[in-house]
Amino acid sequence: MPVQLKRRIYIACIFLTGLFILLMVRLAWVQVVQINRTMPGFQRTVREMSVLQRERGVVLDTGRGQFTDYKGQALTGKLEWGVVLFPRPVQSSHSYPSTMANSEVKELAALLHTDTKSLQKEWNQGNAPHFWTAGANQPSTLTESQVARIRELKVDGASVYPLMTRYGQAATGMQWLGHLAEQPGFPNAQSGHKNEVKQPFAMKSGAAGLERTMEPLLMGIGPTLLTRMVTGSGEVIPDIQPRVIAPSNTHYPLRAETTINIDLQQGIEQIVKKSGMKEGAVVVLDAANADVRAMVSAPFYNPQHVDPKHTAWANRAVQGAVPGSIFKIVTAAAALEYHAVSKGETFHCGGEWGKYGLSCWKEHGHGTLNLEQGFAESCNIVFAETARRLSMEQLERTADALGLARPVGWEGKQVAGMPVLHHFDHEDAGRVRLPSVSPQDEGAKVQTAIGQRDVLVTPLQAANLIVTLLNDGKVSAPRLVQRIRYADGDTMLDMPMHDSPSSAGRISPATAHQLLSWMKKVVSDGTGKSLQHARWQVAGKSGTAQVQQHGENRNHQWFIGYGPTEQPKYAVAVLVQNVAPSSRHQATAMFRKVMDYLAESS
């Protein structure tokens, strides 16, 4: 054999031996070291994933973090019971469970409020365990009596297991909470989770509200699974019993403690529902610190069944709307701050102003009145004359100083690894004027001063405006979440209250006190007289904005205020949207109902 050939064979042998040694080292590394390490992008080790590849499972608990109100009462996450249907290998020409005693099938079907055919049809779907859903897209929960009887039956292949449901079944006005949805491509929607449970819908991520803004904190470290071992072809191995796989970290899932008072939230939702309000919002803030105690948006939505094409899931409490006369608070503040109106000065309202098509809501006018009286009567003529003495920049600066035309909701930077954390998802900034409108346009300025033209204010900003006045002109940042707790109750993260200062500075305490006094006059002598017999002595400002909806004239009705006037506890903003121009002022009536309810609950 030629020497050159021998050399080639020798080199090849050395190469193959080296390759074999490398493979052996790699295999040993995987078997001894890496098998107990968490796989990149997953929450489980290689050993656990290798076992899960041979199992089919159903999710008992997604492991997602939960929400509570400020007293610790659960807002999400209720432990309920459901029936898990376990598939079996085909043992005859009939699919399982047709081989079971017919009486057992009938009794189980009767307990589940269905018929035998429907039960068998759902039972034989797929080769993985699954909860009985009654044809819906979520597990059907059981009553205590159903649980007890099904356990007594001991039907082979049908067992009762606990499951964690997230939301209630009823429609609600808690759009600030949000909802979950399947989101392909979302970073946390890891394919590993889908492989484990064979049910992609079980691993959803936040699509709106706090569910979305707090997703990194809520996503958890993995689900609790009920699994069955399967063969290579996917058939369940009947001799191996089901097992539950759960994360071992006792700190998770986390719990977000909100500022909401769930009793107030639900009570105000009932007020909104009974009133027949179709569109709008109610915001209740703690008068001392601007924490949100209740926030209701209408129409209501069902977080279990959200249609992205419809807008009921959107939170109207943080969406801008034309404010009408509640914006006169800003104009009055600017007049006081910039001394645009002298003390004791009077104006004359004859009903028509004669410029820019502006008129007063009172047909024949209010006669002679000063700025305080014009505020109480919400006289457009008085505020048009006042606006002429102010510049657009002064109106804008005052609005900014009062927390309008900019987001005011709580915001934290570099929180738990997140660059920015917002409490209010998709919060509108609102505005005073469009950039295209000249500051020298007197017509635009006058319309702006009475809350028309291009002005937009959110109900959250409107309620916070009242808190700002109650706190001597200091703008607070409303919160929805006060802390994050571990599952064992220890605090992981506090979200302390903070202010929302303006580059324009703040209004003086004297101006704030003056405006609060004028709001009392609205109730005693002005447009809010219907509130004189409320349980609490209250104060506030009404507003009616003219808008267009689908080419028709409609009104937005507002009332914002506080109570009780001596020791204020709550600031409230009510917005009723898109009502007929001839409608009574529903917002004032609802403000009284809300305040009466708050008085009863205190």
Side-chain angles (χ1 to χ4, degrees):
M1 182 179 295
V3 175
Q4 191 174 8
L5 179 59
K6 287 182 179 182
R7 176 181 287 183
R8 288 178 180 174
I9 293 173
Y10 179 73
I11 292 173
C13 288
I14 292 175
F15 175 77
L16 291 173
T17 301
L19 183 61
F20 180 74
I21 291 172
L22 286 174
L23 290 174
M24 291 296 292
V25 170
R26 173 61 178 165
L27 182 59
W29 172 263
V30 171
Q31 291 290 332
V32 177
V33 179
Q34 197 171 30
I35 194 168
N36 294 313
R37 292 187 173 182
T38 301
M39 292 181 64
F42 296 88
Q43 300 294 336
R44 302 190 185 279
T45 65
V46 175
R47 185 191 300 276
E48 291 171 328
M49 292 300 294
S50 67
V51 173
L52 287 169
Q53 289 295 320
R54 302 193 301 274
E55 291 183 301
R56 297 291 183 269
V58 61
V59 173
L60 302 180
D61 182 356
T62 64
R64 187 173 181 83
Q66 305 292 352
F67 291 96
T68 72
D69 80 345
Y70 82 116
K71 294 181 180 179
Q73 187 171 341
L75 302 181
T76 60
K78 184 178 180 182
L79 191 64
E80 300 191 88
W81 295 90
V83 173
V84 175
L85 304 175
F86 293 96
R88 284 285 192 89
V90 178
Q91 298 174 345
S92 67
S93 59
H94 299 287
S95 296
Y96 184 80
S98 297
T99 56
M100 292 165 42
N102 195 45
S103 60
E104 291 182 357
V105 178
K106 286 184 177 179
E107 187 167 359
L108 180 60
L111 284 168
L112 298 176
H113 306 298
T114 188
D115 56 79
T116 306
K117 184 177 180 181
S118 298
L119 174 60
Q120 291 178 333
K121 181 180 179 182
E122 186 166 331
W123 205 321
N124 293 318
Q125 288 179 349
N127 59 359
H130 54 277
F131 276 104
W132 162 252
T133 66
N137 63 352
Q138 59 195 27
S140 293
T141 56
L142 307 176
T143 63
E144 291 183 8
S145 60
Q146 284 177 306
V147 170
R149 185 63 190 122
I150 293 172
R151 282 175 171 167
E152 289 175 1
L153 272 179
K154 295 182 180 179
V155 178
D156 187 24
S159 300
V160 175
Y161 281 92
L163 73 149
M164 187 68 74
T165 58
R166 189 156 191 85
Y167 310 115
Q169 296 297 323
T172 176
M174 297 198 301
Q175 285 86 341
W176 50 266
L177 181 61
H179 62 276
L180 305 179
E182 293 178 60
Q183 299 186 61
F186 190 82
N188 298 327
Q190 297 168 356
S191 60
H193 287 153
K194 296 183 179 182
N195 289 338
E196 292 177 16
V197 300
K198 305 302 179 185
Q199 291 179 232
F201 64 83
M203 300 303 296
K204 298 178 179 180
S205 55
L210 287 175
E211 294 278 27
R212 189 179 84 88
T213 62
M214 302 190 70
E215 175 66 27
L217 291 168
L218 297 172
M219 61 181 290
I221 59 172
T224 297
L225 308 172
L226 175 67
T227 68
R228 292 296 301 268
M229 192 69 71
V230 297
T231 65
S233 60
E235 292 185 347
V236 172
I237 302 174
D239 296 332
I240 301 179
Q241 293 300 307
R243 70 178 187 129
V244 174
I245 305 173
S248 58
N249 192 329
T250 57
H251 286 312
Y252 291 86
L254 299 176
R255 193 165 71 244
E257 192 176 283
T258 70
T259 61
I260 294 292
N261 182 328
I262 190 57
D263 296 326
L264 296 185
Q265 175 75 28
Q266 292 175 345
I268 294 171
E269 284 186 13
Q270 287 302 310
I271 292 172
V272 169
K273 188 176 181 181
K274 289 178 181 178
S275 75
M277 183 173 84
K278 293 181 172 58
E279 299 174 76
V282 178
V283 176
V284 179
L285 300 183
D286 189 307
N289 55 29
D291 276 353
V292 179
R293 296 303 180 204
M295 178 178 279
V296 179
S297 177
F300 290 1
Y301 83 124
N302 187 333
Q304 298 274 33
H305 307 285
V306 172
D307 185 347
K309 296 179 182 178
H310 296 160
T311 59
W313 59 269
N315 186 3
R316 291 176 183 252
V318 295
Q319 293 181 342
V322 183
S325 292
I326 66 166
F327 194 79
K328 289 173 182 173
I329 296 172
V330 176
T331 306
L336 293 172
E337 289 288 285
Y338 293 102
H339 308 289
V341 177
S342 59
K343 189 175 182 179
E345 184 176 358
T346 60
F347 303 84
H348 179 75
C349 171
E352 296 289 337
W353 196 44
K355 291 183 178 182
Y356 313 116
L358 185 73
S359 61
C360 189
W361 63 269
K362 191 171 184 179
E363 187 176 355
H364 300 295
H366 291 98
T368 300
L369 64 177
N370 59 27
L371 184 58
E372 178 181 358
Q373 292 168 326
F375 185 92
E377 293 289 351
S378 200
C379 177
N380 286 343
I381 306 303
V382 169
F383 277 84
E385 287 290 346
T386 301
R388 294 182 67 187
R389 308 177 187 187
L390 295 165
S391 68
M392 184 70 86
E393 182 186 8
Q394 288 172 330
L395 287 174
E396 290 177 310
R397 288 180 62 83
T398 305
D400 197 297
L402 289 169
L404 304 184
R406 59 188 175 91
V408 292
W410 193 96
E411 175 186 293
K413 295 182 179 179
Q414 300 302 325
V415 178
M418 290 178 278
V420 181
L421 172 62
H422 298 283
H423 282 186
F424 300 92
D425 188 27
H426 292 104
E427 180 191 0
D428 280 357
R431 67 172 181 242
V432 173
R433 155 183 80 90
L434 287 172
S436 58
V437 175
S438 170
Q440 282 71 47
D441 186 333
E442 185 179 78
K445 181 176 64 176
V446 167
Q447 290 288 339
T448 297
I450 62 172
Q452 289 286 161
R453 185 69 187 217
D454 304 313
V455 186
L456 293 177
V457 173
T458 72
L460 176 64
Q461 290 172 332
N464 200 50
L465 168 60
I466 300 298
V467 178
T468 298
L469 297 178
L470 290 170
N471 287 276
D472 296 335
K474 182 187 72 174
V475 182
S476 300
R479 291 188 304 175
L480 263 178
V481 180
Q482 52 191 16
R483 67 181 53 87
I484 306 295
R485 293 190 184 275
Y486 289 113
D488 55 16
D490 289 342
T491 298
M492 173 196 179
L493 177 68
D494 277 314
M495 299 188 185
M497 293 175 287
H498 64 71
D499 298 336
S500 180
S502 165
S503 59
R506 54 188 280 187
I507 66 169
S508 67
T511 294
H513 296 164
Q514 187 77 71
L515 292 171
L516 292 172
S517 174
W518 288 4
M519 287 183 193
K520 294 178 184 178
K521 289 283 189 180
V522 170
V523 175
S524 63
D525 301 311
T527 57
K529 287 181 180 179
S530 62
L531 299 171
Q532 290 177 359
H533 303 293
R535 290 180 182 270
W536 273 341
Q537 186 175 1
V538 298
K541 182 72 185 76
S542 63
T544 302
Q546 299 172 349
V547 296
Q548 288 270 320
Q549 185 188 42
H550 307 304
E552 295 185 6
N553 292 328
R554 311 297 283 179
N555 283 351
H556 289 345
Q557 297 177 347
W558 293 80
F559 199 97
I560 65 175
Y562 64 98
T565 54
E566 295 308 312
Q567 291 182 314
K569 295 186 69 174
Y570 298 105
V572 175
V574 176
L575 166 63
V576 182
Q577 292 179 286
N578 299 315
V579 297
S582 59
S583 297
R584 63 183 179 85
H585 208 273
Q586 299 173 40
T588 303
M590 190 175 297
F591 178 87
R592 175 176 175 175
K593 290 177 182 177
V594 169
M595 275 299 186
D596 283 349
Y597 178 74
L598 293 173
E600 292 171 7
S601 303
S602 296

